[in-house]
mmCIF file of all heavy atoms in Angstrom:
data_model
loop_
_atom_site.group_PDB
_atom_site.id
_atom_site.type_symbol
_atom_site.label_atom_id
_atom_site.label_comp_id
_atom_site.label_asym_id
_atom_site.label_seq_id
_atom_site.Cartn_x
_atom_site.Cartn_y
_atom_site.Cartn_z
ATOM 1 N N LEU X 1 13.481 25.164 125.219
ATOM 2 C CA LEU X 1 13.200 23.882 125.852
ATOM 3 C C LEU X 1 13.801 23.820 127.247
ATOM 4 O O LEU X 1 13.151 23.366 128.192
ATOM 5 C CB LEU X 1 13.730 22.732 124.993
ATOM 6 C CG LEU X 1 13.037 22.573 123.632
ATOM 7 C CD1 LEU X 1 13.705 21.482 122.827
ATOM 8 C CD2 LEU X 1 11.559 22.290 123.800
ATOM 9 N N ARG X 2 15.038 24.271 127.395
ATOM 10 C CA ARG X 2 15.661 24.287 128.716
ATOM 11 C C ARG X 2 14.926 25.214 129.685
ATOM 12 O O ARG X 2 14.749 24.893 130.864
ATOM 13 C CB ARG X 2 17.134 24.656 128.609
ATOM 14 C CG ARG X 2 17.992 23.569 127.963
ATOM 15 C CD ARG X 2 19.476 23.857 128.072
ATOM 16 N NE ARG X 2 19.847 25.126 127.467
ATOM 17 C CZ ARG X 2 20.226 25.281 126.205
ATOM 18 N NH1 ARG X 2 20.263 24.230 125.397
ATOM 19 N NH2 ARG X 2 20.572 26.470 125.749
ATOM 20 N N LYS X 3 14.488 26.376 129.176
ATOM 21 C CA LYS X 3 13.775 27.323 130.040
ATOM 22 C C LYS X 3 12.491 26.740 130.628
ATOM 23 O O LYS X 3 12.110 27.080 131.729
ATOM 24 C CB LYS X 3 13.399 28.584 129.249
ATOM 25 C CG LYS X 3 14.484 29.580 129.092
ATOM 26 C CD LYS X 3 13.925 30.805 128.371
ATOM 27 C CE LYS X 3 14.924 31.886 128.195
ATOM 28 N NZ LYS X 3 14.334 33.053 127.516
ATOM 29 N N VAL X 4 11.820 25.885 129.856
ATOM 30 C CA VAL X 4 10.559 25.313 130.352
ATOM 31 C C VAL X 4 10.753 23.957 131.018
ATOM 32 O O VAL X 4 9.795 23.261 131.303
ATOM 33 C CB VAL X 4 9.482 25.263 129.244
ATOM 34 C CG1 VAL X 4 9.179 26.657 128.740
ATOM 35 C CG2 VAL X 4 9.867 24.329 128.119
ATOM 36 N N GLY X 5 12.022 23.608 131.275
ATOM 37 C CA GLY X 5 12.294 22.430 132.083
ATOM 38 C C GLY X 5 12.714 21.164 131.372
ATOM 39 O O GLY X 5 12.992 20.161 132.026
ATOM 40 N N LEU X 6 12.726 21.147 130.051
ATOM 41 C CA LEU X 6 13.148 19.948 129.358
ATOM 42 C C LEU X 6 14.667 19.829 129.432
ATOM 43 O O LEU X 6 15.372 20.834 129.467
ATOM 44 C CB LEU X 6 12.697 19.956 127.888
ATOM 45 C CG LEU X 6 11.243 19.546 127.670
ATOM 46 C CD1 LEU X 6 10.316 20.698 127.957
ATOM 47 C CD2 LEU X 6 11.039 19.033 126.261
ATOM 48 N N ARG X 7 15.153 18.596 129.475
ATOM 49 C CA ARG X 7 16.578 18.317 129.562
ATOM 50 C C ARG X 7 17.007 17.469 128.368
ATOM 51 O O ARG X 7 16.249 16.636 127.899
ATOM 52 C CB ARG X 7 16.913 17.573 130.849
ATOM 53 C CG ARG X 7 16.585 18.333 132.096
ATOM 54 C CD ARG X 7 17.550 19.493 132.295
ATOM 55 N NE ARG X 7 17.186 20.320 133.410
ATOM 56 C CZ ARG X 7 16.866 21.610 133.318
ATOM 57 N NH1 ARG X 7 16.877 22.224 132.170
ATOM 58 N NH2 ARG X 7 16.544 22.290 134.383
ATOM 59 N N HIS X 8 18.242 17.696 127.954
ATOM 60 C CA HIS X 8 18.806 16.928 126.843
ATOM 61 C C HIS X 8 18.901 15.465 127.243
ATOM 62 O O HIS X 8 19.422 15.133 128.304
ATOM 63 C CB HIS X 8 20.193 17.475 126.484
ATOM 64 C CG HIS X 8 20.824 16.772 125.357
ATOM 65 N ND1 HIS X 8 21.757 15.781 125.558
ATOM 66 C CD2 HIS X 8 20.666 16.896 124.015
ATOM 67 C CE1 HIS X 8 22.135 15.327 124.369
ATOM 68 N NE2 HIS X 8 21.493 15.991 123.426
ATOM 69 N N VAL X 9 18.371 14.586 126.394
ATOM 70 C CA VAL X 9 18.388 13.148 126.651
ATOM 71 C C VAL X 9 19.478 12.492 125.819
ATOM 72 O O VAL X 9 20.311 11.754 126.326
ATOM 73 C CB VAL X 9 17.022 12.499 126.359
ATOM 74 C CG1 VAL X 9 17.082 10.991 126.485
ATOM 75 C CG2 VAL X 9 15.954 13.089 127.263
ATOM 76 N N ARG X 10 19.447 12.752 124.525
ATOM 77 C CA ARG X 10 20.448 12.169 123.636
ATOM 78 C C ARG X 10 20.389 12.811 122.268
ATOM 79 O O ARG X 10 19.388 13.439 121.916
ATOM 80 C CB ARG X 10 20.259 10.664 123.503
ATOM 81 C CG ARG X 10 18.998 10.241 122.768
ATOM 82 C CD ARG X 10 18.906 8.710 122.710
ATOM 83 N NE ARG X 10 17.660 8.286 122.130
ATOM 84 C CZ ARG X 10 17.492 8.011 120.835
ATOM 85 N NH1 ARG X 10 18.485 8.091 119.990
ATOM 86 N NH2 ARG X 10 16.312 7.615 120.385
ATOM 87 N N ASP X 11 21.466 12.660 121.549
ATOM 88 C CA ASP X 11 21.509 13.072 120.154
ATOM 89 C C ASP X 11 21.212 11.855 119.294
ATOM 90 O O ASP X 11 21.449 10.725 119.701
ATOM 91 C CB ASP X 11 22.894 13.634 119.794
ATOM 92 C CG ASP X 11 23.207 14.909 120.543
ATOM 93 O OD1 ASP X 11 22.271 15.679 120.790
ATOM 94 O OD2 ASP X 11 24.389 15.126 120.860
ATOM 95 N N GLY X 12 20.678 12.089 118.126
ATOM 96 C CA GLY X 12 20.374 10.976 117.237
ATOM 97 C C GLY X 12 19.815 11.484 115.926
ATOM 98 O O GLY X 12 19.882 12.667 115.601
ATOM 99 N N ARG X 13 19.238 10.552 115.193
ATOM 100 C CA ARG X 13 18.630 10.883 113.917
ATOM 101 C C ARG X 13 17.124 10.777 114.099
ATOM 102 O O ARG X 13 16.600 9.700 114.396
ATOM 103 C CB ARG X 13 19.110 9.931 112.829
ATOM 104 C CG ARG X 13 18.688 10.334 111.477
ATOM 105 C CD ARG X 13 19.862 10.220 110.501
ATOM 106 N NE ARG X 13 19.448 10.618 109.175
ATOM 107 C CZ ARG X 13 19.676 11.823 108.690
ATOM 108 N NH1 ARG X 13 20.332 12.714 109.396
ATOM 109 N NH2 ARG X 13 19.274 12.145 107.476
ATOM 110 N N PHE X 14 16.428 11.896 113.977
ATOM 111 C CA PHE X 14 14.992 11.965 114.159
ATOM 112 C C PHE X 14 14.372 12.661 112.952
ATOM 113 O O PHE X 14 14.852 13.723 112.549
ATOM 114 C CB PHE X 14 14.631 12.752 115.427
ATOM 115 C CG PHE X 14 15.300 12.225 116.669
ATOM 116 C CD1 PHE X 14 16.490 12.746 117.113
ATOM 117 C CD2 PHE X 14 14.723 11.184 117.381
ATOM 118 C CE1 PHE X 14 17.111 12.277 118.261
ATOM 119 C CE2 PHE X 14 15.335 10.694 118.537
ATOM 120 C CZ PHE X 14 16.525 11.243 118.966
ATOM 121 N N TYR X 15 13.332 12.102 112.418
ATOM 122 C CA TYR X 15 12.633 12.712 111.285
ATOM 123 C C TYR X 15 13.608 13.059 110.153
ATOM 124 O O TYR X 15 13.575 14.143 109.577
ATOM 125 C CB TYR X 15 11.853 13.962 111.719
ATOM 126 C CG TYR X 15 10.914 13.687 112.855
ATOM 127 C CD1 TYR X 15 11.210 14.086 114.145
ATOM 128 C CD2 TYR X 15 9.740 12.961 112.647
ATOM 129 C CE1 TYR X 15 10.371 13.810 115.201
ATOM 130 C CE2 TYR X 15 8.887 12.672 113.684
ATOM 131 C CZ TYR X 15 9.198 13.100 114.960
ATOM 132 O OH TYR X 15 8.353 12.815 116.006
ATOM 133 N N GLU X 16 14.512 12.124 109.893
ATOM 134 C CA GLU X 16 15.479 12.239 108.804
ATOM 135 C C GLU X 16 16.449 13.408 108.973
ATOM 136 O O GLU X 16 16.960 13.949 108.008
ATOM 137 C CB GLU X 16 14.786 12.301 107.454
ATOM 138 C CG GLU X 16 13.916 11.075 107.185
ATOM 139 C CD GLU X 16 13.192 11.130 105.860
ATOM 140 O OE1 GLU X 16 13.546 11.949 105.010
ATOM 141 O OE2 GLU X 16 12.254 10.340 105.696
ATOM 142 N N ALA X 17 16.706 13.803 110.208
ATOM 143 C CA ALA X 17 17.660 14.896 110.485
ATOM 144 C C ALA X 17 18.453 14.564 111.737
ATOM 145 O O ALA X 17 17.944 13.956 112.669
ATOM 146 C CB ALA X 17 16.921 16.211 110.669
ATOM 147 N N ASP X 18 19.706 14.991 111.754
ATOM 148 C CA ASP X 18 20.493 14.879 112.969
ATOM 149 C C ASP X 18 19.964 15.908 113.954
ATOM 150 O O ASP X 18 19.848 17.096 113.615
ATOM 151 C CB ASP X 18 21.967 15.140 112.673
ATOM 152 C CG ASP X 18 22.585 14.029 111.844
ATOM 153 O OD1 ASP X 18 22.183 12.860 112.013
ATOM 154 O OD2 ASP X 18 23.455 14.321 111.010
ATOM 155 N N ALA X 19 19.592 15.472 115.132
ATOM 156 C CA ALA X 19 18.918 16.360 116.069
ATOM 157 C C ALA X 19 19.153 15.883 117.506
ATOM 158 O O ALA X 19 19.818 14.876 117.736
ATOM 159 C CB ALA X 19 17.425 16.402 115.763
ATOM 160 N N ALA X 20 18.597 16.634 118.440
ATOM 161 C CA ALA X 20 18.675 16.307 119.860
ATOM 162 C C ALA X 20 17.281 16.024 120.401
ATOM 163 O O ALA X 20 16.317 16.701 120.028
ATOM 164 C CB ALA X 20 19.318 17.467 120.629
ATOM 165 N N LEU X 21 17.215 15.059 121.274
ATOM 166 C CA LEU X 21 15.960 14.718 121.944
ATOM 167 C C LEU X 21 15.996 15.338 123.349
ATOM 168 O O LEU X 21 16.974 15.157 124.083
ATOM 169 C CB LEU X 21 15.815 13.205 122.050
ATOM 170 C CG LEU X 21 14.598 12.695 122.827
ATOM 171 C CD1 LEU X 21 13.322 12.969 122.055
ATOM 172 C CD2 LEU X 21 14.730 11.218 123.125
ATOM 173 N N TYR X 22 14.963 16.070 123.686
ATOM 174 C CA TYR X 22 14.791 16.675 125.006
ATOM 175 C C TYR X 22 13.548 16.058 125.635
ATOM 176 O O TYR X 22 12.616 15.683 124.929
ATOM 177 C CB TYR X 22 14.618 18.181 124.900
ATOM 178 C CG TYR X 22 15.904 18.932 124.684
ATOM 179 C CD1 TYR X 22 16.573 18.888 123.459
ATOM 180 C CD2 TYR X 22 16.469 19.676 125.711
ATOM 181 C CE1 TYR X 22 17.759 19.586 123.276
ATOM 182 C CE2 TYR X 22 17.654 20.362 125.519
ATOM 183 C CZ TYR X 22 18.287 20.312 124.307
ATOM 184 O OH TYR X 22 19.464 20.998 124.119
ATOM 185 N N ALA X 23 13.520 16.014 126.961
ATOM 186 C CA ALA X 23 12.341 15.429 127.644
ATOM 187 C C ALA X 23 12.196 16.030 129.029
ATOM 188 O O ALA X 23 13.149 16.536 129.625
ATOM 189 C CB ALA X 23 12.483 13.922 127.753
ATOM 190 N N ILE X 24 10.956 15.934 129.510
ATOM 191 C CA ILE X 24 10.643 16.283 130.896
ATOM 192 C C ILE X 24 9.629 15.267 131.381
ATOM 193 O O ILE X 24 8.693 14.896 130.665
ATOM 194 C CB ILE X 24 10.104 17.732 131.019
ATOM 195 C CG1 ILE X 24 9.897 18.121 132.474
ATOM 196 C CG2 ILE X 24 8.851 17.946 130.192
ATOM 197 C CD1 ILE X 24 9.583 19.594 132.684
ATOM 198 N N ASP X 25 9.846 14.767 132.599
ATOM 199 C CA ASP X 25 8.931 13.811 133.209
ATOM 200 C C ASP X 25 8.050 14.536 134.217
ATOM 201 O O ASP X 25 8.482 15.509 134.829
ATOM 202 C CB ASP X 25 9.712 12.708 133.901
ATOM 203 C CG ASP X 25 10.482 11.850 132.919
ATOM 204 O OD1 ASP X 25 9.885 11.418 131.906
ATOM 205 O OD2 ASP X 25 11.683 11.624 133.145
#
């Protein structure tokens, strides 16, 4: 994800798992 330009936005609970959200605008 970092290689293709996405950046860490926040950690949280997604799809019933502790995970990290990445995004690119």
Side-chain angles (χ1 to χ4, degrees):
L1 295 175
R2 289 190 302 269
K3 279 184 178 181
V4 299
L6 280 80
R7 299 288 175 242
H8 181 262
V9 174
R10 68 181 175 93
D11 294 326
R13 189 135 180 98
F14 305 94
Y15 306 104
E16 301 179 15
D18 291 326
L21 176 70
Y22 281 72
I24 185 171
D25 294 312

